[in-house]
Amino acid sequence: MADVNVTSPDDAASTALLLTTMHRLHKRMDDFTTELHIAYDFGNESGLAHTILIENHAAGPELRACHCLGFFAEGDADVSELRFSAGVTITSTGCIVEARVDVDLERPWGEFGADVHTLHLERIDQLSLRDALSCLEEQVTALCAMGDVPNRLGFDTR
């Protein structure tokens, strides 16, 4: 399963399913994080970046949608980040899906001290590709229901 070379129609169908599902979930997370950026006052120089990462790890290749809200603490020159991400890693023993929300703070913010804090993490492994994509869909649905995260960090709505 770790071999990503498409050599048969089944492999081609699996690859197409993976890519189309990830594209759809990336778009959904894009809409959600854009709505957060509009709804909350992250500051004048805040920004939003959306990306799809493809990385090869020792366990196998990973495809991950990442959505990052960058903001500055008052008087701070370093960017703090609120990150929503979801992805799938294909290993020789099955697929791993993981969804997470992290905040990387350069200074204390809201109820959190300066550091990286994981606000949400769900990881499931040893899944077939179809089961992994189904679980990933559920994980993204859960991420997109976390509209209160900026409030937990102390951001005001606009």
Side-chain angles (χ1 to χ4, degrees):
M1 189 173 233
D3 186 3
V4 294
N5 293 322
V6 177
T7 57
S8 74
D10 288 341
D11 290 343
S14 293
T15 300
L17 178 63
L18 172 64
L19 294 176
T20 56
T21 301
M22 284 301 293
H23 178 264
R24 183 173 40 78
L25 295 177
H26 180 64
K27 175 71 174 121
R28 187 170 175 195
M29 290 174 65
D30 180 18
D31 292 345
F32 169 70
T33 54
T34 298
E35 288 172 10
L36 287 182
H37 193 242
I38 292 168
Y40 285 89
D41 184 6
F42 287 95
N44 291 338
E45 295 184 41
S46 66
L48 179 58
H50 309 280
T51 188
I52 292 183
L53 299 174
I54 301 171
E55 296 180 336
N56 197 18
H57 301 284
E62 176 187 37
L63 184 60
R64 176 169 293 277
C66 299
H67 301 265
C68 179
L69 291 141
F71 54 92
F72 294 91
E74 187 174 325
D76 196 355
D78 295 321
V79 177
S80 291
E81 296 178 338
L82 172 58
R83 296 183 295 258
F84 291 83
S85 68
V88 60
T89 302
I90 301 171
T91 74
S92 60
T93 59
C95 295
I96 301 167
V97 292
E98 181 183 273
R100 62 187 309 139
V101 179
D102 296 306
V103 63
D104 184 354
L105 300 173
E106 296 299 317
R107 288 195 174 172
W109 200 277
E111 63 189 66
F112 302 96
D115 203 353
V116 176
H117 304 274
T118 299
L119 308 180
H120 174 81
L121 173 62
E122 183 179 3
R123 178 186 164 112
I124 305 169
D125 59 3
Q126 297 185 342
L127 298 168
S128 70
L129 180 61
R130 289 193 185 280
D131 288 345
L133 295 177
S134 178
C135 286
L136 192 62
E137 179 102 31
E138 293 170 10
Q139 289 177 340
V140 168
T141 297
L143 288 180
C144 293
M146 295 183 180
D148 67 328
V149 170
N151 189 41
R152 288 180 56 200
L153 292 169
F155 289 102
D156 294 324
T157 55
R158 293 183 192 260

